[in-house]
Amino acid sequence: RLEKDEKDWKILLDQLWHYQYVRQPVSLSTELNSAMYQATKGIIALIIKVFIQSQIQAITTGLETITPELICTVADENWGLANLPAD
């Protein structure tokens, strides 16, 4: 599990963010970073799953972009994690 302030967290998320297949890719903002951490608690397997599932939902619904709200919705609907308390 990665800590949000850890160098490895930033490296992983920065590298993963290059693999956006939505029509309107977005830069990794502070809000998106926080939403990813809130939704995954730094668990690497969940980071990847939430990222992929968020894109699938964005594409299938026509949203075509990743938003903090989408990340939290996807995590909550699929794993019930978005509302877990932060550490």
Side-chain angles (χ1 to χ4, degrees), residues 4 9 13 16 18-19 21 26 28 30 39 41 44 49 51 57 60 67 69-70 74 77-78 81 85-86:
K4 186 176 179 190
W9 165 260
L13 213 52
L16 187 63
H18 291 286
Y19 295 97
Y21 295 100
V26 291
L28 181 59
T30 303
K41 306 301 181 247
I44 295 171
K49 288 178 182 181
F51 184 70
Q57 182 131 350
T60 58
T67 66
E69 297 79 19
L70 177 64
V74 164
E77 287 176 357
N78 290 287
L81 296 172

Side-chain angles (χ1 to χ4, degrees), residues 22-40:
V22 291
R23 289 191 177 153
Q24 298 171 2
V26 291
S27 298
L28 181 59
S29 66
T30 303
E31 293 81 16
L32 288 163
N33 185 317
S34 293
M36 281 296 286
Y37 195 80
Q38 179 185 349
T40 66

Side-chain angles (χ1 to χ4, degrees), residues 37-87:
Y37 195 80
Q38 179 185 349
T40 66
K41 306 301 181 247
I43 299 169
I44 295 171
L46 288 177
I47 295 166
I48 295 165
K49 288 178 182 181
V50 167
F51 184 70
I52 291 169
Q53 234 10 77
S54 294
Q55 290 192 77
I56 290 170
Q57 182 131 350
I59 292 166
T60 58
T61 62
L63 180 63
E64 290 294 344
T65 194
I66 300 173
T67 66
E69 297 79 19
L70 177 64
I71 291 169
C72 291
T73 299
V74 164
D76 192 40
E77 287 176 357
N78 290 287
W79 300 284
L81 296 172
N83 295 319
L84 291 177
D87 294 333

